[in-house]
């Protein structure tokens, strides 16, 4: 489920299909912010004329929409998988955390873009709404975890869902594809942190 | 330690001291991104002429620098306090988490600004370096916590420090000053999450 979303290039120009262009475009958005990124800056970075860029994308908003679809689509797929639909809630949460960490690593630039949206356009508002729905789905799992007794009684399920996504999302700040930690190792570490980050000594209550 | 950093206004015009202007300016930066925020946009939002704005701030970079100083100064103060300097490392970490959550809530807009920096100017690079130093200081505490046996053996201190700041920082995304949770309640909840977010049932290992 971690493959890139297939986007059919409008034209078979090698090296300039929409997917590889999008990688560069998202980097421009993340370097300067979406609002400050001009078509001129994008064309420069791609080494293309503006009209060549327009051959592949109708507008800056279309670039944004396709980029956001990539990461939102992946995250929604994680929740749609069988492991997130049936069985103990605590194991569903485990599945979502492990897979979401990997999405965060593999789609790092796309998730960064999503996390920095300002909500100044319809495309942004729709993406933010989808993000809210993902948090609501995780929250339902925490509700179920509490009902089955696998969430501490004093932990609010809504806060637990937000904290968990906050933790996963923070990976985009410092994850490096060249290591030292692999996405799999980070997924395990995040899960360990969620489970019991700090040991409570019996003689020294941490509260 | 949570009062606003005192900034002396250059002139005693009521309602337009630098502190209250800064609140509005940071909101503009966060709404559009720092790079896309023009002096014209800032002046409009303040209801002032550009020259009136220049009377209070020499440049957009100066606005950014003062705004970042506010949140970075607060966070550095948390680490400089006696409770973060002496005693068990696990209690030092507790102090930092509790106080940093409150800074995140009280200085929400300023922390949002810090977290979204792109590093495109000297002011931004200096702020990012100070942010890195804060993480390094927290990491040292986790090193010490491991040495004293209050961090799980399988938890890397560097990852624990990053995860902890990631968790605290994520508050800026959804914290609302008008409730339902107070900064104090959120601080306790974050600490609870760090400590043991999800219960490990003895019959069902979460790993």
């Amino acid at each position: 489920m971690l493959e890139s979303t297939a986007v059919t290039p409008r034209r078979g120009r090698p090296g300039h299909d929409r997917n590889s262009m999008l990688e560069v475009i998202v980097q421009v958005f993340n370097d300067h912010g979406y609002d400050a990124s001009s078509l001129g800056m994008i064309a420069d970075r791609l080494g293309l004329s503006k009209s060549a860029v327009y051959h592949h994308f109708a507008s800056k908003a279309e670039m944004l929409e396709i980029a956001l679809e990539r990461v939102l689509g992946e995250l929604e797929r994680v929740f749609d998988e069988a492991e997130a639909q049936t069985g103990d809630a605590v194991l569903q949460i485990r599945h979502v955390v492990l897979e979401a960490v990997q999405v965060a690593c593999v789609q790092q630039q796309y998730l960064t873009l999503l996390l920095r949206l300002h909500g100044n356009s319809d495309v942004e508002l729709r993406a933010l709404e989808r993000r809210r729905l993902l948090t609501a789905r995780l929250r339902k799992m925490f509700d179920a975890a509490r009902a089955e007794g696998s969430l501490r009684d004093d932990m609010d399920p809504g806060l637990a869902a937000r904290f968990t996504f906050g933790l996963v999302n923070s990976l985009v700040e410092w994850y490096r594809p060249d290591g030292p930690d692999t996405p799999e190792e980070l997924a395990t570490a995040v899960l360990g942190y969620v489970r019991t980050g700090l040991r409570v000594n019996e003689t020294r209550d941490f509260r």
Side-chain angles (χ1 to χ4, degrees), chain A residues 25 43-44 71 107 116 173 180:
Chain A
I25 291 165
D44 277 357
V71 61
Q107 308 272 7
R116 292 182 162 195
E173 302 247 353

Side-chain angles (χ1 to χ4, degrees), chain A residues 75 79 96 100 134-135 138 160-170:
Chain A
L75 289 171
F79 279 88
V96 167
L134 289 168
T135 305
L138 186 57
R162 283 167 159 170
F163 289 157
T164 301
F165 264 139
L167 193 54
V168 171
N169 291 339
S170 71

Side-chain angles (χ1 to χ4, degrees), chain A residues 14-115:
Chain A
H16 285 125
D17 62 282
R18 295 220 294 182
N19 254 336
S20 61
M21 290 173 75
L22 209 57
E23 298 278 330
V24 177
I25 291 165
V26 168
Q27 195 61 61
V28 175
F29 289 166
N30 287 340
D31 285 349
H32 302 278
Y34 173 71
D35 292 21
S37 298
S38 67
L39 193 74
M41 289 160 71
I42 291 165
D44 277 357
R45 193 82 77 91
L46 285 165
L48 294 172
S49 68
K50 287 188 197 180
S51 66
V53 177
Y54 273 132
H55 181 75
H56 294 271
F57 297 94
S59 63
K60 207 173 82 164
E62 194 195 43
M63 297 170 189
L64 181 67
E65 187 159 31
I66 296 171
L68 293 172
E69 173 57 41
R70 253 177 100 144
V71 61
L72 284 166
E74 289 289 346
L75 289 171
E76 287 161 358
R77 242 187 304 283
V78 167
F79 279 88
D80 291 340
E81 285 168 339
E83 297 93 324
Q85 299 283 341
T86 55
D88 294 339
V90 70
L91 296 178
Q92 293 181 25
I93 294 170
R94 179 180 183 279
H95 170 79
V96 167
V97 171
L98 289 175
E99 294 296 320
V101 168
Q102 301 203 49
V103 173
C105 293
V106 174
Q107 308 272 7
Q108 183 177 22
Q109 295 302 321
Y110 296 84
L111 182 56
T112 300
L113 181 65
L114 175 66
L115 296 178

Side-chain angles (χ1 to χ4, degrees), chain A residues 5 64 83 105 122 132 145 192-193 196:
Chain A
T5 307
L64 181 67
E83 297 93 324
C105 293
D122 285 347
R132 265 189 292 275
Y193 185 88
T196 42

Side-chain angles (χ1 to χ4, degrees), chain A residues 168-179:
Chain A
V168 171
N169 291 339
S170 71
L171 285 168
V172 303
E173 302 247 353
W174 53 265
Y175 169 71
R176 294 287 168 268
D178 52 355

